[in-house]
């Protein structure tokens, strides 16, 4: 039986704070979210993925990552200003006269420097949460990426610097436990889109295929080595010789998928779902 940690993902004001900082940074620098991430040495999707998560996203960008992105953007934006220039544009009172050519530049520089200080203050505390009163542990479970609740789709892995940490100790599920986010609706009767699945690796050498269990199945293309993944209930057919991956969806378009190798594709069980964290 799947343990269901159903809880509301409480909106954290620090999430909104980080989003506001990034919106302001984009406005002040004129750079896209992808460019801001790239310039600081992170994957292009680091910022854009976080910003498009909706009204109450989980915070999946580390404070240190946010700080590094802001620091780099501010340094680049102000790199042509000397120390005296910075003093001139930041220490004058708002109503002090400045050359017309400096007016806009001064305003932008002040805003950028204040944004950097705001970011440093935000980064003073860890902000990865599942619920408002959850606490982190040293052995917390990491969210490695996402899995499609539909047909097989390319496995999605979050860059390690942006991996979310669940405040659920791995000692509860084993040292190798990890989490994946559900994408799609083929399992929405059990795991709505956005749910987090806590999984343990499946070892085919020491374990039999789990009958009537929720699993993460993988399909590998032998020609390209591309790996795709899906989450389904694994059920053994009455014959006892074959297994099928069953969707549990309110959408009738989803159909069972056979657990078998097809031509250049090899299909195998990668992990077993042991718990779920779902929104209510």
């Amino acid at each position: 039986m799947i343990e269901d940690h159903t809880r509301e993902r409480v909106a954290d004001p620090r999430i909104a704070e980080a989003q506001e900082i990034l919106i302001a940074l984009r406005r002040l620098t004129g750079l896209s979210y992808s460019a801001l991430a790239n310039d600081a040495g992170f994957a292009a999707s680091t910022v854009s993925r976080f910003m498009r998560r909706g009204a109450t996203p989980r915070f999946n960008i580390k404070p240190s990552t946010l700080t590094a992105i802001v620091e780099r953007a501010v340094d680049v934006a102000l790199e042509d200003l000397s120390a005296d220039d910075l003093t001139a544009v930041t220490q004058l009172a708002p109503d002090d006269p400045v050359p017309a050519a400096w007016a806009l530049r001064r305003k932008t520089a002040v805003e950028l420097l204040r944004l950097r200080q705001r970011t440093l203050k935000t980064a003073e505390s860890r902000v990865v949460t599942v619920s408002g009163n959850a606490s982190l542990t040293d052995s917390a479970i990491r969210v490695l990426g996402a899995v499609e609740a539909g047909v097989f789709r390319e496995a999605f892995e979050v860059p390690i610097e942006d991996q979310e940490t669940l405040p659920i100790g791995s000692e509860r599920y084993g040292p190798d436990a990890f989490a994946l986010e559900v994408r799609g609706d083929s399992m929405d009767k059990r795991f709505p889109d956005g749910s987090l699945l806590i999984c343990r690796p499946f070892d085919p050498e020491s374990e039999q295929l789990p009958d009537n269990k929720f699993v993460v199945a993988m399909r590998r293309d032998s020609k390209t080595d591309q790996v795709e993944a899906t989450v389904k209930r694994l059920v053994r057919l009455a014959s006892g010789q074959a297994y099928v991956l069953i969707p549990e969806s309110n959408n009738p378009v989803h159909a069972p998928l056979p657990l078998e190798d097809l031509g250049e594709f090899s299909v195998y069980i990668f992990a077993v779902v042991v718990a779920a964290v779902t929104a209510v």
Side-chain angles (χ1 to χ4, degrees):
M1 185 176 189
I2 294 293
E3 221 177 312
D4 189 3
H5 297 278
T6 301
R7 66 183 74 188
E8 181 179 4
R9 286 180 184 162
V10 178
D12 192 322
R14 291 166 294 187
I15 295 172
E17 172 75 356
Q19 289 181 320
E20 289 175 7
I21 287 171
L22 290 167
I23 290 170
L25 189 63
R26 184 180 184 182
R27 172 178 59 82
L28 292 168
T29 62
L31 297 175
S32 67
Y33 291 138
S34 295
L36 289 170
N38 273 331
D39 285 354
F42 298 102
S45 61
T46 300
V47 177
S48 57
R49 188 176 57 247
F50 170 65
M51 295 302 292
R52 67 171 175 258
R53 280 196 172 275
T56 56
R58 289 189 320 283
F59 195 111
N60 69 341
I61 185 170
K62 285 186 175 181
S64 57
T65 301
L66 177 65
T67 301
I69 289 171
V70 173
E71 290 273 17
R72 174 59 180 168
V74 172
D75 287 345
V76 170
L78 303 182
E79 65 184 355
D80 61 336
L81 297 181
S82 67
D84 289 340
D85 289 335
L86 286 174
T87 299
V89 298
T90 59
Q91 294 188 356
L92 291 175
D95 56 351
D96 284 349
V98 293
W102 272 87
L104 180 60
R105 193 179 204 182
R106 172 193 170 196
K107 181 176 184 296
T108 301
V110 170
E111 288 190 60
L112 282 168
L113 293 171
R114 287 176 179 171
L115 192 64
R116 180 162 61 186
Q117 290 303 312
R118 180 178 173 185
T119 304
L120 293 172
K121 184 176 181 180
T122 299
E124 289 176 357
S125 62
R126 298 180 69 180
V127 293
V128 177
T129 63
V130 171
S131 65
N133 58 2
S135 60
L136 291 167
T137 66
D138 291 338
S139 58
I141 293 173
R142 302 186 71 82
V143 183
L144 302 186
V147 62
E148 181 75 16
V151 296
F152 284 98
R153 288 285 186 271
E154 185 175 359
F156 174 80
E157 185 174 353
V158 177
I160 190 169
E161 68 270 11
D162 292 333
Q163 287 177 3
E164 181 184 8
T165 307
L166 293 181
I168 300 172
S170 60
E171 65 274 0
R172 185 170 184 173
Y173 301 106
D176 296 327
F178 61 92
L180 296 170
E181 180 179 351
V182 173
R183 298 281 176 84
D185 65 358
S186 80
M187 294 297 292
D188 61 3
K189 287 184 177 180
R190 290 303 301 262
F191 311 128
D193 183 272
S195 299
L196 293 173
L197 304 181
I198 299 173
C199 308
R200 65 166 181 81
F202 174 73
D203 184 358
E205 295 186 1
S206 61
E207 299 180 72
Q208 293 187 347
L209 286 172
D211 183 23
N212 201 32
K213 300 289 186 181
F214 295 106
V215 299
V216 176
M218 308 291 274
R219 183 172 70 178
R220 182 184 296 276
D221 188 323
S222 60
K223 293 182 178 179
T224 65
D225 224 26
Q226 181 180 8
V227 175
E228 300 175 316
T230 188
V231 58
K232 295 288 184 292
R233 184 190 290 274
L234 181 66
V235 175
R236 184 168 59 181
L237 298 180
S239 64
Q241 301 303 311
Y243 287 80
V244 66
L245 298 162
I246 302 293
E248 295 191 6
S249 175
N250 293 302
N251 185 348
V253 71
H254 299 291
L257 302 170
L259 183 71
E260 61 182 10
D261 292 348
L262 299 171
E264 69 269 24
F265 292 104
S266 61
V267 183
Y268 56 96
I269 301 303
F270 173 70
V272 178
V273 179
V274 295
V277 180
T278 55
V280 297

